[in-house]
Amino acid sequence: MKIFDSHFRIINPKFPLVENNGYLPPDFTAENYHEKVMDLGIIGGAIVSGSFQKFDQEYLIDALNILGKNYFGVANIPIGLSLNELERLNKSNICAVRFNLKRGGSERLENLVELSNRLFDNYGWHTELYVDSNDLKELKTTLEQIPKFSIDHLGLSKAGLWELYYWAEKGVKIKATGFGRVDFDPISVMKKIYSITPNSVMFGTDLPSTRAKVPFTVKDLKLIKDNFSENEQKRIFSKNAIEWYRKN
């Protein structure tokens, strides 16, 4: 089964890192990524900027150049970034802005609507949210003002799943990533989301699983393969994410 990896990180020590809540990640270069996934059938993916990378874009452009045209970037973008710089990022296969609402390290929540809409209107970029589903209810009015967004790690928390399902009904993309981060059975939640909107669920390895209680292993792939049909797997492993990331 071919896989488009919708969520992983590259951590190259040649580029600056910023402590987030006292945390600095271990190295995980593009070469490390290749080695880790060489037998998994990866055909492309999305490099997602972490809180510890703050607003550095050079690491992301470098990684995209190494990995090639089937890989896309999700960047932490400050609201005051210049037009010239945004044009450069857009030409470098970066297609999304990330808001880390759980740990910080990205632009502030108060600028989410303005920045998301500006990037969507000018470049067609979508927004990606690292957010606990427990917080989705109070964010509802804000999120209703964003044209396109996804939610990381199945929303993380069992207590907020009904809010997550609400957004699935609205067509929001939800990443089936970081099984070692959630406090529920990921397969049952994926099945529920798939039953609501088959186009929603996107698998990602979450490599190198920074700060996850249990890191990604091939067992996560087996779980999906054992519980979804071949056609369902095609959507979850590649089709949904390819439609989400590839630029027209």
Side-chain angles (χ1 to χ4, degrees):
M1 183 67 66
K2 294 179 179 179
I3 297 172
F4 185 97
D5 187 353
S6 75
H7 193 103
F8 69 95
R9 304 196 193 290
I10 297 299
I11 304 160
N12 190 330
K14 294 193 304 183
F15 298 94
L17 296 172
V18 180
E19 282 192 9
N20 179 270
N21 299 317
Y23 177 80
L24 279 176
D27 300 348
F28 190 72
T29 64
E31 291 74 19
N32 296 146
Y33 177 75
H34 269 310
E35 292 171 8
K36 196 77 172 177
V37 303
M38 64 170 52
D39 297 323
L40 301 185
I42 302 291
I43 58 171
I47 307 170
V48 179
S49 295
S51 58
F52 40 76
Q53 282 153 328
K54 199 66 175 175
F55 296 126
D56 174 51
Q57 317 294 348
E58 300 310 317
Y59 97 89
L60 187 53
I61 292 172
D62 179 77
L64 290 169
N65 285 334
I66 293 170
L67 291 173
K69 64 179 182 179
N70 289 330
Y71 289 83
F72 301 83
V74 182
N76 293 327
I77 303 289
I79 194 160
L81 200 64
S82 71
L83 180 61
N84 285 343
E85 183 65 6
L86 287 172
E87 293 282 353
R88 184 172 78 104
L89 299 184
N90 189 55
K91 291 175 182 177
S92 299
N93 244 20
I94 293 170
C95 64
V97 56
R98 192 179 197 229
F99 280 80
N100 191 324
L101 304 182
K102 185 172 176 63
R103 298 191 190 277
S106 64
E107 186 52 83
R108 294 171 296 174
L109 173 61
E110 64 197 68
N111 292 324
L112 190 154
V113 173
E114 179 184 346
L115 184 55
S116 294
N117 278 276
R118 182 193 307 167
L119 293 172
F120 177 79
D121 290 343
N122 291 337
Y123 305 107
W125 288 16
H126 64 260
T127 297
E128 304 206 356
L129 303 177
Y130 183 26
V131 58
D132 194 303
S133 58
N134 274 318
D135 298 324
L136 288 175
K137 187 173 184 179
E138 65 184 60
L139 290 169
K140 185 175 180 180
T141 301
T142 299
L143 299 183
E144 286 174 339
Q145 300 176 66
I146 300 175
K148 290 176 66 176
F149 67 93
S150 64
I151 296 172
D152 294 347
H153 309 315
L154 295 168
L156 296 169
S157 296
K158 182 177 181 179
L161 284 175
W162 286 108
E163 295 299 322
L164 187 73
Y165 298 151
Y166 167 84
W167 287 111
E169 290 176 356
K170 300 295 183 183
V172 167
K173 300 290 188 185
I174 298 170
K175 293 188 178 185
T177 57
F179 290 178
R181 301 179 186 274
V182 304
D183 65 356
F184 49 78
D185 168 39
I187 294 300
S188 61
V189 171
M190 287 175 65
K191 282 184 172 292
K192 176 66 174 178
I193 295 169
Y194 194 96
S195 72
I196 296 170
T197 311
N199 293 336
S200 181
V201 186
M202 307 184 298
F203 172 78
T205 62
D206 192 40
L207 284 169
S209 303
T210 52
R211 288 191 274 204
K213 293 179 181 178
V214 183
F216 165 80
T217 71
V218 293
K219 291 179 181 178
D220 296 340
L221 296 178
K222 188 175 186 304
L223 269 177
I224 297 172
K225 290 176 179 178
D226 288 347
N227 287 279
F228 289 90
S229 71
E230 187 171 330
N231 284 336
E232 290 169 340
Q233 288 178 47
K234 285 179 181 177
R235 283 190 176 274
I236 293 167
F237 281 136
S238 60
K239 188 174 187 294
N240 291 344
I242 288 171
E243 291 173 352
W244 185 235
Y245 283 103
R246 282 192 176 161
K247 295 181 179 181
N248 296 327

